[in-house]
Amino acid sequence: MKKKFPDTIPIFPLSGVIYFPKTNLPLNIFEKRYLDLVNDTYKKDKFMGMIQSKKNVNDLYEVGCLGKISDFVKNKDGRILINLTGVIRFKIIKEVENSKLYREFKVEYNKFDNDIDNGLESLEKNKTELDSFFEKVKIFFKKNGLLLNWKEFEKLNLEQQINTLAMISPISNEEKQKLLETVGINEIRKTLSKIIEFYIYNKNLNNTTIQ
C-alpha cells in the first residue's frame, strides 16, 4: 500500500448509504454522538469510516469505506455540514471499547489496496463492454424515472463514474453492499451490469416491458 491509514477509526453507520473511494458524500450532522465524532475527527486526522447498518441498527456489515473530511461548516443552529471524500475501503476486525458516544473499530485495508491505484487501464481496454454497460444504465435509470445530468457525469473519470453509479443506482441495500465488497473496479462494473440486467430483463418494472 502506498499510504498508511489509521488502523482504528470512528464509524458513522447509516442504513442504505453506500459509499465508494473517489466519490463525494455530503452529510448534515445534527445528532450529538455524531457531532462529537465529526468534531473529534476534524481535529485529529479528518479520517472517518462510513458503513451500512443492518436491520438491527447495532449490527454492521463488515466492509465500509474510509472518508476524509474535505469541507466542514458549522451552522448557527448547531448542525455541522461536511463533505466526505472517499479514500479506500476497509474491513472491520473488531470493535474498540471507549467512553465516547460514538463507536470505534479496528480495521484493515489490505484487500482493497487497488482502491489507491489507478484502475482505469483495465476499464479502457473494454470499450465495447463499457458502451453496452452505460446504455443499460441509461435504460434502467429512465425506467425508474431517475434523472442524471449525463454531460456533467461524463466529466468524471471512468472509475468515478462506475463508483458513482454503484452509489446511486436504485437497487437493494444488499446489492449495493455486494458491490462495495467486490474487489477491482472492472469487477464492480461487471457485477453492477449483471444486477441491472436482472432488473431490466427479469423484473417487470412498473408493470411495463422494455421495447
Side-chain angles (χ1 to χ4, degrees):
M1 190 180 299
K2 297 177 181 177
K3 187 175 179 180
K4 173 74 175 171
F5 297 104
D7 58 9
T8 300
I9 58 173
I11 293 286
F12 190 156
L14 273 180
S15 177
V17 174
I18 199 80
Y19 175 53
F20 279 82
K22 300 182 179 71
T23 63
N24 290 294
L25 180 66
L27 290 170
N28 179 7
I29 312 296
F30 54 87
E31 194 175 340
K32 168 63 175 164
R33 56 181 162 172
Y34 298 126
L35 288 169
D36 286 357
L37 185 159
V38 168
N39 277 314
D40 291 350
T41 296
Y42 194 69
K43 289 172 188 172
K44 187 183 177 185
D45 55 15
K46 299 183 174 64
F47 285 121
M48 58 185 279
M50 296 295 300
I51 201 162
Q52 279 208 90
S53 55
K54 298 184 179 180
K55 290 181 180 178
N56 177 346
V57 293
N58 288 321
D59 293 335
L60 306 177
Y61 285 96
E62 285 190 342
V63 175
C65 184
L66 184 73
K68 188 166 187 178
I69 298 174
S70 52
D71 287 309
F72 180 95
V73 177
K74 281 191 175 182
N75 278 9
K76 291 179 180 178
D77 60 8
R79 290 179 299 127
I80 298 176
L81 306 177
I82 65 171
N83 185 74
L84 273 186
T85 299
V87 180
I88 184 172
R89 287 170 289 173
F90 61 81
K91 181 179 179 181
I92 283 177
I93 300 174
K94 65 177 181 179
E95 185 161 6
V96 176
E97 288 188 20
N98 65 27
S99 58
K100 302 166 185 174
L101 294 177
Y102 56 87
R103 301 167 74 183
E104 293 179 297
F105 292 82
K106 273 198 166 298
V107 299
E108 60 183 10
Y109 307 93
N110 297 343
K111 184 179 178 182
F112 302 106
D113 283 356
N114 287 339
D115 288 349
I116 305 302
D117 299 326
N118 190 331
L120 296 180
E121 186 177 344
S122 61
L123 280 169
E124 289 169 344
K125 289 178 181 175
N126 296 291
K127 189 174 186 310
T128 303
E129 286 184 27
L130 277 171
D131 290 344
S132 172
F133 168 70
F134 284 115
E135 191 59 37
K136 277 183 271 191
V137 170
K138 288 177 180 178
I139 291 170
F140 184 49
F141 273 42
K142 185 176 180 181
K143 198 70 186 171
N144 281 274
L146 293 176
L147 298 176
L148 186 63
N149 186 330
W150 290 101
K151 284 188 176 180
E152 286 299 312
F153 177 77
E154 286 164 6
K155 292 178 182 177
L156 302 173
N157 70 38
L158 281 171
E159 191 173 4
Q160 289 172 316
Q161 288 179 19
I162 289 165
N163 281 341
T164 298
L165 291 173
M167 283 177 66
I168 67 175
S169 289
I171 59 180
S172 73
N173 292 348
E174 290 76 15
E175 287 164 331
K176 289 189 177 186
Q177 187 66 30
K178 181 179 180 182
L179 293 171
L180 189 68
E181 296 177 10
T182 299
V183 177
I185 191 65
N186 204 39
E187 290 306 310
I188 292 171
R189 193 263 308 162
K190 288 179 180 178
T191 303
L192 180 56
S193 183
K194 288 176 182 176
I195 292 170
I196 287 175
E197 281 178 9
F198 174 78
Y199 279 95
I200 291 176
Y201 300 116
N202 296 291
K203 286 194 174 184
N204 193 9
L205 296 176
N206 299 324
N207 296 317
T208 60
T209 55
I210 300 220
Q211 300 297 323

